[in-house]
Amino acid sequence: MKVQPNPARRQFIKQAAAVSAVAITPNIWNKNISFIGLKPKEKVGIALVGLGYYSGQVLAPALQETEKCYLAGIVTGTPDKEKVWAEKYGIKDQNIYNYDNFDTIADNDDIDIIYVVLPNSMHAEYVIRAAEAGKHVICEKPMALNAQECEDMMKACKDNKRKLSIGYRVQFEPHTQEIMRLGQEKVFGSVKLVNAGAGYREARADHWKLNKEMGGGAMMDMGVYSLQAARYVTGEEPVAVTAQTFTARPELFTEVDETTMFQLEFPSGALANLHTSFGMGMNYLNVTAESGWFKLDPFSAYRGIKGESKDGPIEFPQINQQAAQMDEQAYCVMEDKPMRVPGEEGLRDMRVVDTIYKAIASGDQEKI
Ligand code: NAD
């Protein structure tokens, strides 16, 4: 992924404290925009599929802060949640779906984008069904179980002429965008080494994140943040991988990885030493370049992203990342613009993840 020009970034530097969360999204808002194949609307309607932690605690509240989209519908398999969500967010009865009648969402003009927030093993099925229902799609990370599923999802969206974007929220975040610029524009010379770690302590013994078939494991969950960081700092695709996995709780981690360490080699010669864990909390990104260094700590938290370089602090406003992400995705649907984080971006990560699992199994360096 190449760093994309962000017209608001320079303004951020000058007016750091004064700029609001949605300012990083393009500033060209027109109330009477023609939709591609849809009626003109003031706001894009989003339906959340899967009302677990991320939808309930993070995305739905963020949708109360968005300007270009709103929470129009829900898809849930738990009837009790229907009433609670309808009352809390004023969702119309006809915009509430379950997994059986999901495909009839095709007939609902209130819903423009379907946001898939399900366990990882269900992403492919619901992205494909959403595209076949004629809806644009946002899919949570990791995009799918493997690269093949990603390709199937991208094909379904392409065949149905619908947009697909992955929920890599930090790419909409200004400190991260600055880090991408410092690396990709070689502000401190070529990047030599990226060190990053992302993890938390997972204590839920019965959660799908501990189940292999459901797409569990630290690598799939937090590992993709470390991997993303190495790719967006260098602006390169890795060519070789070594990887090791460890567990300190073998009774809990019988199927999936608790802690994974992986090392990547990039075509320029840059190296990345990356970690992820369900056993320990960590969140840091340190970059060593030819003539300087830069870092974010934390780098993938929802709030409080802090940065510094050899030249001093990297200062931007703290934003609601999810609101900025969904506003920009809604804008791209309205204006028929390319997505900042398209399906291709999820696919590139999953190609590396597939190779990481191969390297863990073989104990050897594996080429990508
Ligand atoms: P969760 O377990 O809290 O929620 C999953 C939802 O899916 C639940 O409502 C559950 O009822 C529903 N579901 C439907 N069918 C299911 C089945 N067969 N088994 C289990 N659950 C089923 O998970 P979550 O933490 O909200 O994660 C959902 C997705 O969001 C994952 O892909 C995860 O990686 C992603 N996520 C992204 C971020 C981010 O910062 N971008 C943060 C958290 C989670």
Side-chain angles (χ1 to χ4, degrees):
M1 83 225 69
K2 290 294 164 200
V3 67
Q4 287 187 26
N6 183 331
R9 182 164 353 111
R10 274 171 188 84
Q11 248 187 320
F12 272 135
I13 298 167
K14 289 187 198 137
Q15 307 172 345
V19 182
S20 74
V22 289
I24 68 158
T25 58
N27 200 15
I28 322 147
W29 180 238
N30 176 345
K31 294 221 160 179
N32 289 310
I33 286 161
S34 291
F35 281 58
I36 20 166
L38 299 168
K39 286 185 216 141
K41 287 184 187 175
E42 293 200 347
K43 286 188 173 194
V44 165
I46 293 188
L48 295 174
V49 188
L51 307 182
Y53 158 72
Y54 196 51
S55 284
Q57 304 297 311
V58 186
L59 294 175
L63 279 161
Q64 310 313 302
E65 294 185 30
T66 46
E67 289 187 350
K68 302 170 179 64
C69 52
Y70 73 106
L71 179 56
I74 49 174
V75 182
T76 177
T78 314
D80 288 352
K81 288 184 187 168
E82 294 181 7
K83 195 162 170 277
V84 173
W85 278 66
E87 275 173 15
K88 190 165 181 189
Y89 295 113
I91 298 166
K92 295 186 214 162
D93 280 356
Q94 63 265 33
N95 293 356
I96 299 176
Y97 292 85
N98 57 48
Y99 298 111
D100 295 327
N101 66 15
F102 173 77
D103 306 278
T104 63
I105 211 164
D107 305 323
N108 191 328
D109 286 347
D110 286 349
I111 315 287
D112 307 299
I113 298 179
I114 291 178
Y115 195 155
V116 177
V117 202
L118 287 164
N120 303 334
S121 59
M122 299 173 75
H123 290 184
E125 177 187 344
Y126 280 88
V127 166
I128 292 168
R129 284 169 70 178
E132 287 174 351
K135 303 301 179 183
H136 302 284
V137 199
I138 307 172
C139 176
E140 256 317 313
K141 47 56 60 178
M143 183 169 167
L145 292 182
N146 52 53
Q148 182 58 55
E149 282 192 352
C150 298
E151 287 181 18
D152 297 344
M153 293 153 84
M154 286 162 59
K155 181 173 184 311
C157 292
K158 192 168 172 235
D159 289 351
N160 289 283
K161 299 189 171 52
R162 298 294 89 180
K163 291 184 187 293
L164 171 60
S165 181
I166 311 304
Y168 279 130
R169 57 187 162 71
V170 293
Q171 291 205 30
F172 299 80
E173 197 280 328
H175 298 80
T176 309
Q177 291 173 347
E178 176 64 358
I179 284 281
M180 290 166 80
R181 186 184 74 83
L182 295 177
Q184 293 182 24
E185 294 182 5
K186 302 185 184 352
V187 173
F188 295 103
S190 300
V191 170
K192 295 293 180 192
L193 179 65
V194 179
N195 271 297
Y200 71 92
R201 190 162 173 89
E202 177 60 73
R204 298 171 292 182
D206 56 350
H207 196 263
W208 63 264
K209 288 188 182 182
L210 275 73
N211 179 308
K212 190 173 172 54
E213 266 189 18
M214 301 289 288
M219 184 61 228
M220 294 289 270
D221 193 67
M222 298 297 280
V224 292
Y225 289 111
S226 305
L227 168 57
Q228 273 271 300
R231 290 185 50 247
Y232 60 60
V233 166
T234 57
E236 295 179 47
E237 297 308 321
V239 290
V241 178
T242 48
Q244 309 81 35
T245 187
F246 308 87
T247 181
R249 292 179 288 171
E251 68 290 356
L252 209 55
F253 290 87
T254 55
E255 300 185 11
V256 299
D257 56 315
E258 181 178 18
T259 296
T260 292
M261 303 191 174
F262 54 110
Q263 304 79 38
L264 306 179
E265 288 183 32
F266 290 88
S268 65
L271 299 173
N273 184 22
L274 308 167
H275 305 155
T276 185
S277 184
F278 271 169
M280 58 191 115
M282 57 177 158
N283 204 292
Y284 64 89
L285 165 59
N286 291 320
V287 184
T288 305
E290 233 166 345
S291 57
W293 55 269
F294 45 99
K295 67 178 189 177
L296 293 181
D297 190 345
F299 81 103
S300 72
Y302 296 157
R303 301 277 185 280
I305 307 283
K306 257 180 91 181
E308 197 182 346
S309 79
K310 182 188 165 206
D311 290 347
I314 297 172
E315 283 177 326
F316 293 93
Q318 298 297 328
I319 64 162
N320 183 323
Q321 297 169 21
Q322 288 82 6
Q325 172 205 312
M326 290 186 282
D327 261 338
E328 186 175 315
Q329 288 162 328
Y331 167 84
C332 291
V333 163
M334 282 186 148
E335 286 282 308
D336 193 14
K337 301 276 187 212
M339 290 288 188
R340 182 182 291 273
V341 190
E344 284 78 358
E345 184 62 8
L347 168 64
R348 290 185 200 111
D349 279 345
M350 290 316 297
R351 280 194 185 123
V352 183
V353 173
D354 287 350
T355 316
I356 287 169
Y357 288 137
K358 211 169 145 192
I360 289 171
S362 71
D364 289 333
Q365 186 184 63
E366 298 287 346
K367 306 282 178 210
I368 300 173

